[in-house]
C-alpha cells in the first residue's frame, strides 16, 4: 500500500508470511566475502545506473567523507559509517590513513552535533515536545539511529577521556547519553500525547499498527482462508484495534507537532519496521548497563 521498504498490507516479505526475505542463506566463506568486495571495488558506481527500475524505490546516493548530513536511516548509512571510521583513529598506521579518518571523524561529529542542536546552521529539527524530527514518513527510524550513534560515540569519547567539540560548544559524553535517554523516554510515553510508541509497553500504545499479521485475525480464531485480497478488503479498513498486539514494534510516530492519529491506513505514522526497533535494542542495552552499574555502586 505504501510503496515503502516494509509494506505489510501487501503480501510482502516484511510481514513474515514467507516472502522474499524468508529464503534461507547459507554461511559465506572468507573467499566469498572477498569476491564480493573485489567486485564492488572493481565496478564502482551507483547500482541504480545499471538497474534503472530500482531508482524510484531504492535510489543510490553517495556520501562517505564528502557529505555533512543530518540523518541516518535504512537507506542512508553514511553517518553510521563515518562514526565507525572515526573510531579507528587510534589505530591509524600512517599519516595518510590518519588524514582520511580525520575527515570521517569531522563528518561524524557534525552529524552528532546536529542531533544535539550544536551546529550554527544545519541541525536536526525537534517537535515542540522535544523529539528529533527529520521527516513525516516513519520519523522514529531517525530517532532510533541518532540515539544509538550518540550512545556509541559517547562511550568512545569516554574511553579516551575526550569530549565532543561542536560549533556551539563542548559536549561531555554524559550529556550525549542524557539526551539519548530523553529521546527514549519520549518514545516510551513521556510526550504530549502520553502514548508509548513501543507497542505493548505501558497502558497506552498504538492499537492500529500498519502491519498485515497484526491487523488480521489469528488462524486460531478464524480458520477460513484469508488471502491478500481478503486481508485488504475485510480487515485493512476496519476501525477496531488490531486483533493481535505486535509487542515490541516501534511505529513511525507523531508528526512535527507531536500529534499521532493511530490510524492503520496512515502508514507514515503507524507502520512498524525492523529498522525502527533494531537500533532501539542497542540503546536499551546501554541504558540497562548504566542502571546495573548505578545499582551496583
Amino acid at each position: 500500500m505504501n510503496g515503502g521498504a516494509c509494506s505489510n498490507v501487501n503480501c510482502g516479505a516484511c510481514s513474515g508470511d514467507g516472502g522474499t526475505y524468508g529464503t534461507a542463506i547459507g554461511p559465506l566463506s572468507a573467499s566469498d566475502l572477498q569476491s564480493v568486495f573485489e567486485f564492488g571495488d572493481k565496478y564502482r558506481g551507483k547500482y541504480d545506473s545499471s538497474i534503472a527500475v530500482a531508482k524510484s524505490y531504492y535510489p543510490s546516493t553517495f556520501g562517505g567523507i564528502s557529505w555533512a548530513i543530518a540523518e541516518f536511516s535504512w537507506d542512508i548509512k553514511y553517518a553510521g559509517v563515518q562514526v565507525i571510521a572515526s573510531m579507528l583513529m587510534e589505530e591509524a598506521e600512517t599519516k595518510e590513513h590518519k588524514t582520511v579518518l580525520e575527515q570521517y571523524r569531522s563528518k561524524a561529529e557534525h552529524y552528532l552535533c546536529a542531533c544535539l542542536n550544536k551546529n550554527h546552521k544545519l541541525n536536526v529539527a525537534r517537535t515542540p515536545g522535544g523529539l528529533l524530527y527529520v521527516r513525516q514518513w516513519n520519523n522514529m527510524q531517525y530517532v532510533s539511529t541518532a540515539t544509538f550513534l550518540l550512545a556509541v560515540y559517547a562511550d568512545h569519547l569516554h574511553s579516551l577521556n575526550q569530549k565532543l567539540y561542536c560549533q556551539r560548544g563542548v559536549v561531555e559524553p554524559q550529556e550525549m547519553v542524557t539526551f539519548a535517554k530523553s529521546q527514549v523516554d519520549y518514545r516510551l510515553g513521556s510526550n504530549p500525547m502520553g502514548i508509548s510508541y513501543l507497542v505493548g509497553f505501558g497502558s497506552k500504545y498504538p492499537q492500529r499498527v500498519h502491519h498485515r499479521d497484526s491487523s488480521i485475525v489469528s488462524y486460531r480464531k478464524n480458520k477460513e482462508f484469508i488471502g491478500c485480497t481478503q486481508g485488504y478488503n475485510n480487515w485493512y479498513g476496519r476501525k477496531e484495534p488490531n486483533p493481535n498486539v505486535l509487542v515490541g514494534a516501534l511505529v513511525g510516530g507523531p508528526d512535527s507537532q507531536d500529534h499521532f492519529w493511530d490510524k492503520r491506513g496512515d502508514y507514515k505514522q503507524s507502520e512498524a519496521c525492523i529498522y525502527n526497533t533494531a537500533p532501539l535494542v542497542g540503546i536499551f542495552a546501554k541504558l540497562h548497563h548504566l542502571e546495573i552499574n548505578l545499582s551496583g555502586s
Side-chain angles (χ1 to χ4, degrees):
M1 280 300 296
N2 58 26
C6 191
S7 176
N8 295 308
V9 171
N10 292 328
C11 291
C14 296
S15 63
D17 56 5
T20 307
Y21 300 108
T23 304
I25 299 176
L28 297 175
S29 66
S31 61
D32 292 328
L33 297 175
Q34 183 175 348
S35 296
V36 172
F37 177 83
E38 290 175 349
F39 178 87
D41 188 44
K42 181 178 180 180
Y43 301 101
R44 300 191 179 195
K46 297 191 296 182
Y47 88 95
D48 60 15
S49 296
S50 301
I51 311 174
V53 69
K55 193 166 188 176
S56 61
Y57 298 99
Y58 305 111
S60 288
T61 52
F62 280 110
I65 61 174
S66 61
W67 274 16
I69 59 176
E71 67 177 83
F72 176 33
S73 64
W74 70 271
D75 61 340
I76 300 180
K77 300 290 194 298
Y78 300 120
V81 172
Q82 290 161 354
V83 166
I84 292 173
S86 66
M87 293 167 64
L88 300 175
M89 281 287 293
E90 304 303 314
E91 302 175 24
E93 297 180 353
T94 67
K95 183 177 180 180
E96 180 182 3
H97 290 166
K98 190 171 183 179
T99 299
V100 173
L101 291 174
E102 180 59 44
Q103 294 179 69
Y104 275 102
R105 183 171 71 175
S106 174
K107 300 305 179 185
E109 294 189 348
H110 182 278
Y111 166 77
L112 297 170
C113 291
C115 294
L116 296 165
N117 197 30
K118 292 290 187 177
N119 288 331
H120 287 314
K121 293 183 178 180
L122 181 62
N123 289 300
V124 180
R126 300 185 188 181
T127 67
L131 182 71
L132 292 172
Y133 192 84
V134 176
R135 60 177 53 87
Q136 183 178 0
W137 192 338
N138 193 15
N139 182 65
M140 280 301 184
Q141 67 172 307
Y142 308 107
V143 183
S144 287
T145 51
T147 51
F148 176 72
L149 290 185
L150 282 165
V152 168
Y153 205 68
D155 274 355
H156 171 67
L157 293 176
H158 178 73
S159 69
L160 299 175
N161 195 27
Q162 295 179 359
K163 303 174 183 179
L164 177 63
Y165 291 88
C166 301
Q167 295 170 353
R168 294 175 54 195
V170 180
V171 183
E172 297 280 353
Q174 183 55 46
E175 185 179 344
M176 299 167 67
V177 175
T178 299
F179 176 72
K181 183 179 182 300
S182 75
Q183 298 298 291
V184 172
D185 291 341
Y186 184 108
R187 279 169 283 181
L188 297 183
S190 296
N191 56 66
M193 294 286 293
I195 183 174
S196 165
Y197 292 104
L198 188 68
V199 179
F201 180 85
S203 59
K204 183 180 179 182
Y205 52 82
Q207 300 292 315
R208 299 163 186 82
V209 182
H210 183 90
H211 185 274
R212 181 178 179 81
D213 295 347
S214 176
S215 58
I216 297 178
V217 68
S218 168
Y219 180 74
R220 294 178 181 177
K221 295 185 178 181
N222 185 350
K223 291 181 169 51
E224 295 181 4
F225 173 77
I226 301 177
C228 291
T229 302
Q230 293 92 338
Y232 180 80
N233 292 340
N234 300 336
W235 293 94
Y236 178 66
R238 293 195 177 198
K239 295 182 179 180
E240 293 79 11
N242 288 358
N244 307 308
V245 179
L246 196 63
V247 177
L250 182 66
V251 299
D255 63 16
S256 61
Q257 298 301 309
D258 298 299
H259 297 143
F260 181 78
W261 310 112
D262 197 10
K263 295 181 179 179
R264 192 177 299 111
D266 189 352
Y267 52 81
K268 293 182 179 180
Q269 288 197 339
S270 297
E271 186 175 40
C273 292
I274 57 175
Y275 48 78
N276 292 12
T277 309
L280 189 60
V281 174
I283 187 64
F284 277 167
K286 168 65 178 177
L287 295 176
H288 180 62
H289 178 71
L290 290 175
E291 185 177 351
I292 290 177
N293 288 345
L294 185 63
S295 61
S297 61

